[in-house]
Amino acid sequence: NAGVTQTPKFRILKIGQSMTLQCAQDMNHNYMYWYRQDPGMGLKLIYYSVGAGITDKGEVPNGYNVSRSTTEDFPLRLELAAPSQTSVYFCASSQSPGTSGRDTQYFGPGTRLTVL
Amino acid sequence: DAKTTQPPSMDCAEGRAANLPCNHSTISGNEYVYWYRQIHSQGPQYIIHGLKNNETNEMASLIITEDRKSSTLILPHATLRDTAVYYCIASLYNNNDMRFGAGTRLTVKP
């Protein structure tokens, strides 16, 4: 199993540009998450999904959109990039509540985004 | 999630036990204590979790006080590879919005 994969690893955007951060997992997890981590800070939840076709906002959703058309993929879309979105973005997945793996969120390696 | 308080940084000698404290005085009865760590700029890694009883796995031990207002993560024989930021989170079992604070930066020294 590759676990949770994210692409790209690094990206520089100009203000106003758009991009999609890709996230995929091969563990058949129903739950998937997007976090951002600013320098020296903890992680903040942007969006999450409890299954294909179902998404919900987290703590900091403004400026982002998500979709979940398959169990495996959970892309994060930035429509009009702003300098405040400069951050490291982590995708994670977990099993459904009530199963033994719900205790654990598995994280991807992250995407480092700079908006200039 | 209940608020958690952790020291910003700690040092530990290689081979010694690392004891990382966490205060969660407002934790509710059905909130679990989770510990994750983040090595350098990698994605966080789950370590352990517990509700009331002390827990142990291959990575660490978790000691929760009887009143559940604080806990301690114990790495029994710290190695240089345990240098990381450790996050303590108090959260409901089925909560999808786990709040990662600033954590404790543990530095294991030779």
Side-chain angles (χ1 to χ4, degrees), chain A residues 31 33 35 37 40-43 45 48 50 58-59 88 90 97-100 102-109 112, chain B residues 32 34 36 38 40-46 49 85 87 91-103 105:
Chain A
Y31 283 62
Y33 313 82
Y35 294 89
Q37 185 175 33
M41 307 293 286
L43 282 74
L45 184 67
Y48 67 94
V50 302
E59 185 182 1
V88 180
F90 291 102
T99 58
S100 61
R102 175 58 183 91
D103 316 314
T104 301
Q105 289 192 21
Y106 296 85
F107 284 80
R112 188 174 297 274
Chain B
Y32 284 70
Y34 292 84
Y36 281 75
Q38 188 174 22
H40 194 43
S41 33
Q42 299 175 19
Q45 175 190 28
Y46 166 81
H49 78 286
V85 177
Y87 298 100
S91 178
L92 295 174
Y93 187 70
N94 60 353
N95 185 16
N96 297 306
D97 189 0
M98 297 181 77
R99 300 294 173 101
F100 290 76
R105 181 174 297 278

Side-chain angles (χ1 to χ4, degrees), chain A residues 74-111:
Chain A
F74 190 39
L76 177 71
R77 177 88 178 155
L78 282 72
E79 291 295 347
L80 292 170
S84 60
Q85 293 177 304
T86 294
S87 192
V88 180
Y89 291 83
F90 291 102
C91 179
S93 72
S94 67
Q95 294 185 13
S96 304
T99 58
S100 61
R102 175 58 183 91
D103 316 314
T104 301
Q105 289 192 21
Y106 296 85
F107 284 80
T111 293

